[in-house]
Amino acid sequence: MHKLVFGRSLRKRAPHAIKAVKAFAQKAMGTKDVRVDPSLNKALWSRGVKHINHRIRVRIARKRNDDEDAKEKLYSYVTFVPVADFKGLETTVVDDE
């Protein structure tokens, strides 16, 4: 998160971090519709608008949209994953089925 909000004015850091998470999920999962879990929102805003955590771990799930009149068939749901230490973590792909 740090490299995405560095140089940003102080009062816009947390909102820009939310936008950066959405852009990352959109690029990684290939869906336009990205929804942020309230726990992730709470974690990003936990230190206020000015001070963002340097790293944050998220889980992104691609889900089917049940709404009939939706533009997109799929959406991405981004959730917060609390970790004690960021050393040695790697990206893991989990098949939900």
Side-chain angles (χ1 to χ4, degrees):
M1 293 308 318
H2 178 68
K3 65 181 170 183
L4 299 171
V5 297
F6 179 76
R8 182 74 44 182
S9 67
L10 291 178
R11 299 290 178 189
K12 296 182 180 177
R13 284 186 176 194
H16 188 74
I18 296 285
K19 290 175 187 139
V21 167
K22 284 187 174 188
F24 171 75
Q26 185 175 350
K27 183 179 175 187
M29 301 302 269
T31 59
K32 295 272 185 206
D33 188 8
V34 177
R35 300 174 190 180
V36 176
D37 190 55
S39 64
L40 175 60
N41 193 36
K42 208 177 238 341
L44 285 172
W45 282 87
S46 65
R47 297 177 60 197
V49 70
K50 294 192 276 188
H51 305 288
I52 301 298
N53 293 327
H54 282 238
R55 290 184 181 91
I56 197 158
R57 188 158 174 90
V58 295
R59 178 176 292 126
I60 308 173
R62 190 183 298 124
K63 297 186 177 184
R64 189 162 307 281
N65 207 345
D66 293 335
D67 211 9
E68 295 90 31
D69 55 340
K71 287 188 234 174
E72 303 285 327
K73 289 193 304 186
L74 300 171
Y75 69 92
S76 297
Y77 192 67
V78 187
T79 57
F80 172 64
V81 179
V83 291
D85 192 19
F86 287 96
K87 301 285 185 198
L89 291 178
E90 294 181 359
T91 302
T92 56
V93 179
V94 179
D95 192 18
D96 218 15
E97 298 170 19

